[in-house]
Every structure is written in structure tokens, then in C-alpha cells.
């Protein structure tokens, strides 16, 4: 499965700057190459496909119930040849 980012959004987000995004925790229905049972993804309507993952503070996944939404700043980055939204683990975030 290939992710399709809106080309204009991709160019804007891949500029290395951080942007505000709302993400939610979820349990994948298929195996992903990670030890994390609970994953994070952007909510719809922000220009990102639901397949893109979010790298962020582990407490967001482990302390709050699955389905919790968070507001954070993130930048589009590449990890293991895949696009990810990256938020440093020490940065502030907020439950929404």
C-alpha cells in the first residue's frame, strides 16, 4: 500500500519546520514492525493519510486510553524509508 500525500501539503510540510497537528492513539488491525501495541496516527481532514505514523512521547500511548486525541507540533520526516510525523518526546502536547 502506497501512501498518497497531497503534493502541495507534502512540499509545505517537508520544509523541516514543525506544524500543529491532532493525532489519536489506536490499535492496528494488522501487524506493524514495532514492539508498540498502541500506535499514533493523524486524524482525518489534516491532509495526511491514516497510514502515516507518528513518532512521539510513549506516555501518550501508555497512560491514556486508546482513542485519545492529542494536539502537538510535528514535522514530516523519513524513518526506515517511510514517512512519519515526528514530535520530540520532550516537547509539550495536550489532550483534546
Amino acid at each position: 500500500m502506497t501512501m498518497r500525500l497531497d503534493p502541495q501539503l507534502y512540499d509545505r510540510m517537508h520544509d523541516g519546520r514543525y506544524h500543529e497537528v491532532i493525532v489519536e492513539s489506536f490499535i492496528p488491525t494488522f501487524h506493524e514492525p514495532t514492539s508498540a501495541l498502541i500506535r499514533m496516527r493523524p486524524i482525518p481532514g489534516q491532509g495526511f493519510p491514516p497510514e502515516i505514523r507518528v513518532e512521539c512521547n510513549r506516555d501518550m500511548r501508555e497512560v491514556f486510553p486508546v482513542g485519545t486525541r492529542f494536539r502537538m507540533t510535528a514535522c514530516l520526516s523519513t524513518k526506515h524509508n517511510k514517512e512519519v510525523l515526528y514530535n520530540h518526546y520532550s516537547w509539550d502536547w495536550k489532550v483534546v
Side-chain angles (χ1 to χ4, degrees):
M1 179 181 298
T2 303
M3 288 187 293
R4 301 268 184 222
L5 295 177
D6 176 282
Q8 291 177 340
L9 178 65
Y10 180 87
D11 289 341
R12 191 180 84 223
M13 292 295 287
H14 225 298
D15 61 6
R17 295 184 315 180
Y18 285 78
H19 305 273
E20 189 171 277
V21 62
I22 297 175
V23 301
E24 66 183 355
S25 60
F26 75 104
I27 298 175
T29 57
F30 57 91
H31 176 72
E32 294 190 8
T34 179
S35 61
L37 173 65
I38 301 170
R39 302 300 310 261
M40 302 293 280
R41 64 184 171 200
I43 64 169
Q46 299 182 102
F48 297 104
E51 295 85 14
I52 197 167
R53 296 299 173 248
V54 180
E55 185 172 326
C56 58
N57 187 312
R58 184 174 290 154
D59 285 349
M60 296 168 74
R61 298 187 312 262
E62 295 178 352
V63 173
F64 296 91
V66 172
T68 301
R69 292 183 173 188
F70 306 89
R71 182 182 315 273
M72 66 168 64
T73 53
C75 71
L76 191 60
S77 184
T78 304
K79 183 176 182 179
H80 304 295
N81 295 321
K82 292 185 177 183
E83 300 291 342
V84 297
L85 286 172
Y86 175 78
N87 169 272
H88 192 269
Y89 72 91
S90 69
W91 284 32
D92 291 337
W93 45 267
K94 181 180 180 180
V95 175
V96 294

